[in-house]
Amino acid sequence: MAHTKQSKRTGTNASLRRALRREVPSTVGILADEQDFTRMRRYRTFAFDDYTAYLRQAEQLLKTLSAQQLHTSVALFDPEEFAEYCAEAGIDADAPAGRSRFTAELAGRGANVPYTGQPLGNLLPQLINKTVRQATWEYATLLLADLGMCADCGQDIGRSAFDRASSMLMRLLEVAGPGEHHLVCSVPGPDEQLLAVLHAQGGTASSARIDAEEGAEFVTVLAAGIALESTGGLVLRTSAPETADRVHGWRLHQGRLEPLTAGEVFSAYCTDAATGDPLSPEPGVEYCAGFPVTTDDPGNHH
């Protein structure tokens, strides 16, 4: 009888542990390419010697975790960042515990993608894109924060530029009208090119549906260009049922968006950026001049 009660308690405890395990999230760090994979092979405790086999096993692990009804996400594992992290934290990089601890740190940074059963070949590009976007947003945010206060008016330069960029975006969506909008903003930073993409749906600016994360990234990059008074460009493409797509363009100059002519928009879209060779116009697309982007700001900017 005592043995039977003990067995029941053991079974109950195991069941409770499994139930509790389902409430613990899991994050899997993935090496993005063979170059990163090769860097990790220098560690003796890293068990893989073939990148294809590594990806296959990683995908099988994700499927196993998902089958256990665990919330699972995937983060990009950067070997160089990992080595720096271990050196700063004073932990052994050549140990599974070190890799696990670094992956746990990645989970808290936000640059991860939930695993919902999608093939790893589809998930990796999405993960790389999100990681690049977050790095761009962080870099642009630091640029704005480092600008400090205006010596003339005492305003926070970065904050002022962010507010101005937000107003510009709302004005762009208001004038663009109903449809699906795809915006791209490119700004040269001091150390690297900043690129932000935004998708919006709806009619007026007040009713447009914008992903909050994308919106913050886009406005921050545009604000960096405004605050630094750097050159740059912005393109807006609008799609609506039963009409041709409309493409508008602007150049960023001295903190303002200056409309491009229809010919300049056509030239920008129909020229290979890498070679300078002409490209065929895209069918069903109207290349339009940019429209004036006025805001409530009287024009004073930093």
Side-chain angles (χ1 to χ4, degrees), residues 128-300:
I128 292 170
N129 177 60
K130 184 169 185 178
T131 303
V132 171
R133 279 174 43 203
Q134 177 158 325
T136 299
W137 173 73
E138 290 175 351
Y139 175 60
T141 300
L142 286 174
L143 285 178
L144 292 176
D146 287 344
L147 293 173
M149 311 299 288
C150 176
D152 294 328
C153 68
Q155 289 187 347
D156 184 305
I157 298 175
R159 179 74 257 178
S160 176
F162 189 91
D163 291 342
R164 185 172 173 82
S166 299
S167 297
M168 286 181 175
L169 174 59
M170 293 300 99
R171 181 59 177 164
L172 283 166
L173 295 177
E174 180 182 0
V175 178
E180 295 187 5
H181 309 299
H182 178 83
L183 300 96
V184 179
C185 180
S186 178
V187 173
D191 301 312
E192 61 183 78
Q193 187 78 13
L194 299 177
L195 183 70
V197 177
L198 175 66
H199 300 86
Q201 291 183 328
T204 64
S206 60
S207 65
R209 296 190 299 275
I210 302 173
D211 179 82
E213 191 174 280
E214 269 195 3
E217 293 165 1
F218 188 90
V219 170
T220 303
V221 168
L222 178 56
I226 292 171
L228 296 173
E229 294 195 345
S230 63
T231 58
L234 190 150
V235 173
L236 164 67
R237 179 167 180 160
T238 299
S239 303
E242 300 180 1
T243 62
D245 284 10
R246 304 188 313 276
V247 178
H248 302 268
W250 295 261
R251 67 171 57 87
L252 186 61
H253 179 66
Q254 295 184 343
R256 295 181 175 85
L257 287 177
E258 297 182 347
L260 297 177
T261 66
E264 288 172 325
V265 174
F266 178 87
S267 178
Y269 248 75
C270 300
T271 302
D272 189 301
T275 65
D277 295 334
L279 299 173
S280 299
E282 191 176 346
V285 174
E286 293 182 4
Y287 301 95
C288 310
F291 44 81
V293 183
T294 56
T295 66
D296 294 336
D297 188 313
N300 297 324

Side-chain angles (χ1 to χ4, degrees), residues 36-75:
D36 284 349
F37 179 81
T38 300
R39 290 193 182 102
M40 289 303 296
R41 288 195 62 197
R42 64 184 174 180
Y43 298 115
R44 179 183 54 82
T45 58
F46 186 72
F48 297 91
D49 57 13
D50 179 80
Y51 185 59
T52 301
Y54 161 80
L55 290 179
R56 187 166 57 247
Q57 292 299 323
E59 187 162 18
Q60 187 57 51
L61 172 62
L62 290 170
K63 290 179 179 179
T64 300
L65 293 171
S66 180
Q68 296 172 0
Q69 299 180 336
L70 300 174
H71 174 76
T72 305
S73 59
V74 181

